[in-house]
Amino acid sequence: MISFNVPIYSEKGIEYAQEAIRARHISGDGQFTKKCHEWLKQDTGAKYAYLTTSCTHALEMSAFLAGIQPGDEVIMPSYTFVSTADAFVLAGAKIVFVDIRPDTMNIDENKIEAAVTAKTKAVVVVHYAGVGCEMDRIMAIAKKYHLKVIEDAAQGTKASYKGQALGTIGDYGCFSFHETKNYTMGEGGAIIFNRDEDAERAEILREKGTNRSKFFRGQIDKYSWVDYGSSYLPSDMNAAYLWGQLEVADEIYDNRMAAWNFYHESLRELEEAGYIERPVIPEGCTHNAHMYYIKAKDLKERSDLIRYLKENDIQTVFHYVPLHSAPAGMKFGRFHGEDVYTTRESERLVRLPLYYGIDIKDLEWVVEKMKAFYNGRSEG
Ligand SMILES: *Cc1c(COP(=O)(O)O)cnc(C)c1O
């Protein structure tokens, strides 16, 4: 069976994790965490970067930093992972879902403004598949209505919009290093931002509401409980495993990109024949080969395709079931405007196997079977 995803196996990561253990520093903010922080800052150009225990937790931190209060409204797409909404629901917000664009599956920047009310506090954008949202327009709306912008860049490491790294355009950017993402520490993530005023608050939030980070830097002689917070810092063992990959981030990127490009070129003829749609990368967006998806005609055809590929030892998966249709989505949110594309497009989408080190023969097999499926259809 060709798996949809295989988490990165990093010999270097193992070595570094052992090193963290031998150094007797396995809790948070050790040498490897610091290396990851430096890498994140350098790679994105953000002034501040902190590893977290997950992207979900990075989003939670951003909700607190953005000052979300009970009763505030937060605008986001419905086509996203549950965490995007969860983090803001925990802060007491009401979620206002708006429709997506069919080409990128990202929030439709032209439908945001109509969803703004006096209670709207923030917009959360999701850069689906590491392809940037239309940030110029979104930032202009945010400016006009004094809204915070949080970028769920869980899938967006090493991707950019008009030359700016995803995660650095809005107020806060959140990455995921879950094992399904391009770089992984098992469970983990990061928050990045630029404003000095947020730095102290972020450190306190991440360290259980204490100013322990300041204490460790020798800036104060004892630390105390100064505000509310949680424990958002990951173990240095996990950071060490991640560091083994960030060190060779370009190699991992190139490898994934080669696989992505192979699919994209090889499946062109199926698109030209009108069978499928391939992903669209708008001008100005540089993606990171996080995901290769295609769109079938409809739900029925997608189910047939997934089944056919499975019979041929290929594991493919669909993606998000729109949040507004889930029980919690109905409880905590509402959909503003008409759901033109969210449900329809999500039902057509299927993701193909793509991971670091995937065998070219496996890619060829997937393409061959994709073609066989559609050619079989046209004949019968
Ligand atoms: C993976 C993902 C998350 C959650 O990341 P965790 O690190 O597992 O918390 C959130 N949002 C999006 C868009 C994701 O793809």
Side-chain angles (χ1 to χ4, degrees):
M1 183 67 114
I2 302 172
S3 300
F4 164 69
N5 179 58
V6 177
I8 291 183
Y9 180 85
S10 165
E11 289 287 357
K12 269 286 179 198
I14 295 168
E15 207 176 287
Y16 291 148
Q18 287 177 336
E19 203 175 313
I21 295 164
R22 285 195 205 97
R24 303 291 193 276
H25 190 122
I26 54 177
S27 61
D29 284 340
Q31 56 170 323
F32 292 105
T33 304
K34 287 181 183 128
K35 283 180 197 288
C36 293
H37 288 176
E38 288 314 310
W39 184 91
L40 280 164
K41 285 189 264 187
Q42 209 183 8
D43 192 70
T44 63
K47 188 157 181 202
Y48 298 97
Y50 300 92
L51 286 188
T52 56
T53 31
S54 63
C55 180
T56 308
H57 282 165
L59 288 161
E60 262 177 56
M61 282 182 70
S62 74
F64 291 130
L65 290 170
I68 303 300
Q69 300 286 325
D72 289 346
E73 290 181 358
V74 175
I75 294 171
M76 65 179 67
S78 172
Y79 184 72
T80 184
F81 189 54
V82 292
S83 300
T84 319
D86 266 331
F88 294 86
V89 168
L90 277 178
K94 177 103 185 160
I95 309 300
V96 178
F97 298 112
V98 305
D99 209 7
I100 53 168
R101 291 163 46 142
D103 57 349
T104 56
M105 304 300 281
N106 284 336
I107 192 165
D108 187 336
E109 66 279 1
N110 293 317
K111 292 181 180 167
I112 293 172
E113 194 163 6
V116 174
T117 71
K119 290 182 181 164
T120 308
K121 195 68 175 281
V123 180
V124 187
V125 301
V126 179
H127 303 298
Y128 188 68
V131 178
C133 297
E134 194 38 62
M135 293 308 290
D136 281 350
R137 176 89 181 99
I138 292 165
M139 294 311 290
I141 295 164
K143 194 167 175 214
K144 183 170 167 191
Y145 296 98
H146 307 289
L147 309 176
K148 298 282 188 198
V149 174
I150 294 100
E151 297 178 66
D152 181 341
Q155 305 171 13
T157 40
K158 288 189 80 63
S160 62
Y161 169 84
K162 298 188 179 173
Q164 268 184 284
L166 299 187
T168 63
I169 304 159
D171 295 276
Y172 310 102
C174 304
F175 293 131
S176 174
F177 300 119
H178 184 261
E179 74 169 33
T180 51
K181 302 303 200 286
N182 290 20
Y183 307 96
T184 181
M185 54 201 283
E187 301 278 356
I191 183 168
I192 62 172
F193 54 85
N194 285 317
R195 257 196 315 271
D196 295 333
E197 308 90 88
D198 288 319
E200 188 169 353
R201 185 75 193 98
E203 288 186 347
I204 290 166
L205 268 172
R206 191 165 161 271
E207 269 283 23
K208 301 99 184 160
T210 73
N211 52 6
R212 191 149 79 171
S213 300
K214 242 180 172 173
F215 170 72
F216 283 140
R217 283 197 299 269
Q219 291 165 320
I220 43 175
D221 56 16
K222 66 177 175 54
Y223 75 85
S224 47
W225 185 29
V226 292
D227 207 335
Y228 65 87
S230 189
S231 185
Y232 292 129
L233 71 173
S235 160
D236 211 49
M237 285 186 290
N238 297 48
Y241 193 70
L242 177 65
W243 177 245
Q245 298 149 58
L246 295 186
E247 241 188 0
V248 292
D250 288 337
E251 182 196 319
I252 294 169
Y253 177 98
D254 291 344
N255 182 274
R256 293 186 76 106
M257 194 57 80
W260 197 98
N261 287 333
F262 178 82
Y263 277 140
H264 206 56
E265 276 310 308
S266 311
L267 296 173
R268 177 197 299 273
E269 62 181 73
L270 285 183
E271 183 174 66
E272 283 170 358
Y275 290 127
I276 65 166
E277 281 167 36
R278 297 178 304 158
V280 173
I281 313 295
E283 176 123 17
C285 290
T286 305
H287 74 101
N288 58 0
H290 172 62
M291 181 194 302
Y292 197 85
Y293 67 80
I294 62 103
K295 286 187 194 160
K297 190 171 81 213
D298 53 23
L299 180 60
K300 164 84 174 59
E301 187 183 272
R302 181 182 75 174
S303 306
D304 291 346
L305 175 62
I306 291 175
R307 193 178 329 107
Y308 176 82
L309 293 173
K310 193 175 167 207
E311 284 162 11
N312 286 283
D313 288 328
I314 300 162
Q315 185 194 17
T316 60
V317 283
F318 54 86
H319 214 178
Y320 310 128
V321 174
L323 296 185
H324 73 281
S325 65
M330 290 188 242
K331 187 167 161 191
F332 300 120
R334 64 181 164 81
F335 197 97
H336 181 89
E338 201 189 334
D339 169 9
V340 182
Y341 295 115
T342 301
T343 300
R344 197 180 85 189
E345 297 301 302
S346 67
E347 287 179 345
R348 301 170 56 208
L349 186 143
V350 54
R351 297 177 289 160
L352 306 184
L354 177 59
Y355 50 87
Y356 173 66
I358 190 168
D359 198 321
I360 178 73
K361 288 203 176 60
D362 288 348
L363 295 172
E364 284 166 353
W365 179 250
V366 175
V367 167
E368 191 183 315
K369 289 295 136 187
M370 285 283 298
K371 288 180 179 171
F373 175 80
Y374 280 105
N375 290 331
R377 295 216 137 205
S378 64
E379 285 153 21

